[in-house]
Amino acid sequence: MAKWGEGDPRWIVEERPDAANPNNWHWTEKNASPWSRERIKDLLDGLKVETEEGCCQISEVSKIEGEACANNRKGKLIFFYEWEVTAEWSGFLNSDPKTKYKGKLEVPNLSDENDASELDVSVTVTSTKDDAHKVKEIMWLKGSELVKEQLGKYIKDLKTEFSQGMILPTKNQGNDNAANDNTVKPVETQNKTVKKEVKKTINQPILKAVQAAGLGVKIPTKILTMTEQFQCSPADLYRALTVQDMVQAFTREALSVFEVKKGGRFVLFNGNVSGEFTDLVPGEKISMRWRRNDWPKDHYSDVKMEISLKLNQTELKLTQTGVPASHFDSTKDGWSQYYWFGIKHTFGYDPKLF
């Protein structure tokens, strides 16, 4: 092992309190997705727009899809985030406050590629009446600016919250100051510039090898959505996905790790799939951190299954964020073949049979 003052300083193990990440050279990453969803929802939910003509208010943030993470590379903080946000709103004119109109607001490009002022905010209204369009104008003209301001706060808060502990103290920083130095201000340079700099500073042969292994770099991901119909009740489908004996039936294997509780772990299909449950609402919703063993090391996706009764069938809507782009098609095929097909034909839940 190299001694202090000898060799390439990027790889020297320093006299540090935790002996981790010398010189902050290695790429470290924090998952900011769960925190981001809650923060965006808090900032937009109930947002009110008032003018002399009328009033509008966001009644529900109905969709927040995407991902976010914070990275430290060579002592620089780099933030990646990409979100699609949809909200429901209602409003009225002051001249007729009893008549309310409803609509939808969408932000498709909340990402590190855009400043808050550059965000696209689209506003629609369900009614075709002239007054409805007047209310829509209030939401579009003033409401969109307020939405941009709130999402600008999210970007600022993201950088503040996830700067904590990302830059580790070095040899020149005494242990007495380590606690204070763990909290740093994020790099003010625009992410676009920082990304280019990172590409330049990493030795290219090393970078290619690291990328091939899927380690230490931001990997391209996609969002997978699927909708399936089952000939059973929502409660039956929920049990098929959470009761160990039923899961063993459609996976055709004995499960040694299957803990149906928040934070409970699971391992399926002979170790090819693993993760943990993050939220469980009987008969309605299952949320998980989920990965396949052929994905890049330690990379997880977020899976949400929403179960509801539609006419005489049960509908399952799956939303999976963070799917590696190179594994997108095979992941989609895997859900169809090993989950949906297995459940329908094991328990007779296939609508085509009726």
Side-chain angles (χ1 to χ4, degrees):
M1 181 179 292
K3 296 180 180 179
W4 184 263
E6 298 179 2
D8 190 334
R10 296 174 299 182
W11 306 104
I12 292 174
V13 177
E14 303 184 46
E15 298 172 5
R16 297 179 27 79
D18 54 8
N21 200 2
N23 276 322
N24 295 288
W25 176 260
H26 302 293
W27 187 291
T28 57
E29 180 174 305
K30 284 185 180 180
N31 179 11
S33 296
W35 178 91
S36 293
R37 291 189 186 92
E38 291 299 320
R39 187 60 183 144
I40 293 171
K41 183 176 180 181
D42 289 343
L43 288 167
L44 296 183
D45 206 6
L47 185 67
K48 185 177 289 188
V49 183
E50 295 181 291
T51 68
E52 293 181 356
E53 291 186 81
C55 177
C56 299
Q57 185 172 13
I58 292 179
S59 55
E60 179 189 3
V61 181
S62 54
K63 183 179 82 170
I64 306 174
E65 291 186 356
E67 60 180 332
C69 64
N71 302 276
N72 164 28
R73 172 60 177 154
K74 289 181 65 180
K76 293 181 180 179
L77 295 180
I78 309 169
F79 296 88
F80 298 97
Y81 50 93
E82 185 174 4
W83 297 102
E84 294 180 17
V85 181
T86 302
E88 312 298 322
W89 64 270
S90 63
F92 58 86
L93 294 176
N94 290 333
S95 59
D96 184 14
K98 292 184 179 181
T99 304
K100 294 188 177 181
Y101 301 95
K102 297 181 179 180
K104 185 177 292 186
L105 180 147
E106 295 179 293
V107 182
N109 63 333
L110 175 57
S111 75
D112 51 89
E113 298 293 335
N114 303 298
D115 294 330
S117 60
E118 299 173 328
L119 296 177
D120 295 326
V121 181
S122 65
V123 179
T124 57
V125 66
T126 56
S127 175
T128 58
K129 294 182 179 180
D130 290 341
D131 283 353
H133 286 283
K134 291 179 182 178
V135 176
K136 173 193 168 184
E137 286 297 302
I138 295 172
M139 194 64 193
W140 182 66
L141 290 174
K142 187 172 182 180
S144 60
E145 293 304 313
L146 289 178
V147 168
K148 291 179 183 179
E149 287 179 17
Q150 292 298 89
L151 294 178
K153 291 180 183 178
Y154 156 70
I155 296 170
K156 181 179 178 181
D157 292 347
L158 170 68
K159 295 180 179 181
T160 301
E161 179 74 17
F162 285 86
S163 294
Q164 309 293 326
M166 288 293 287
I167 305 296
L168 301 175
T170 63
K171 177 181 168 114
N172 293 328
Q173 295 171 301
N175 291 339
D176 293 339
N177 297 325
N180 294 329
D181 289 333
N182 276 352
T183 302
V184 298
K185 295 181 179 179
V187 176
E188 298 299 332
T189 310
Q190 295 295 329
N191 277 339
K192 299 175 187 177
T193 305
V194 175
K195 288 178 185 176
K196 293 178 181 178
E197 185 176 350
V198 168
K199 291 179 181 178
K200 292 178 181 178
T201 56
I202 301 176
N203 182 280
Q204 291 304 309
I206 294 177
L207 176 60
K208 290 179 180 179
V210 170
Q211 288 175 330
L215 303 173
V217 294
K218 170 76 173 179
I219 64 172
T221 62
K222 291 184 175 182
I223 299 173
L224 171 62
T225 59
M226 302 181 74
T227 302
E228 286 289 323
Q229 308 293 333
F230 297 83
Q231 192 68 34
C232 64
S233 69
D236 287 338
L237 181 57
Y238 180 86
R239 285 195 293 270
L241 291 161
T242 58
V243 174
Q244 183 164 342
D245 288 345
M246 297 184 74
V247 175
Q248 289 179 154
F250 81 78
T251 60
R252 300 181 182 180
E253 62 172 337
L255 302 179
S256 58
V257 181
F258 195 74
E259 305 163 336
V260 185
K261 61 182 181 180
K262 189 173 182 179
R265 296 174 56 249
F266 58 83
V267 178
L268 305 173
F269 304 109
N270 296 314
N272 287 311
V273 170
S274 61
E276 67 176 12
F277 294 103
T278 57
D279 192 21
L280 293 161
V281 181
E284 297 181 13
K285 184 174 71 172
I286 301 171
S287 297
M288 303 173 280
R289 292 182 72 241
W290 189 100
R291 64 171 269 107
R292 281 177 22 184
N293 68 352
D294 58 347
W295 286 5
K297 184 179 179 182
D298 297 327
H299 178 82
Y300 282 82
S301 64
D302 291 317
V303 171
K304 180 171 67 173
M305 297 181 182
E306 297 174 290
I307 303 170
S308 59
L309 186 63
K310 301 289 185 181
L311 298 177
N312 61 339
Q313 298 181 140
T314 290
E315 181 179 278
L316 184 149
K317 180 180 179 182
L318 178 140
T319 304
Q320 184 175 15
T321 60
V323 179
S326 58
H327 294 265
F328 183 83
D329 291 337
S330 60
T331 299
K332 184 176 181 180
D333 291 342
W335 284 109
S336 296
Q337 180 178 352
Y338 297 107
Y339 277 84
W340 316 146
F341 180 87
I343 290 172
K344 290 177 181 180
H345 288 266
T346 299
F347 305 117
Y349 294 165
D350 192 344
K352 296 177 183 179
L353 301 177
F354 295 86

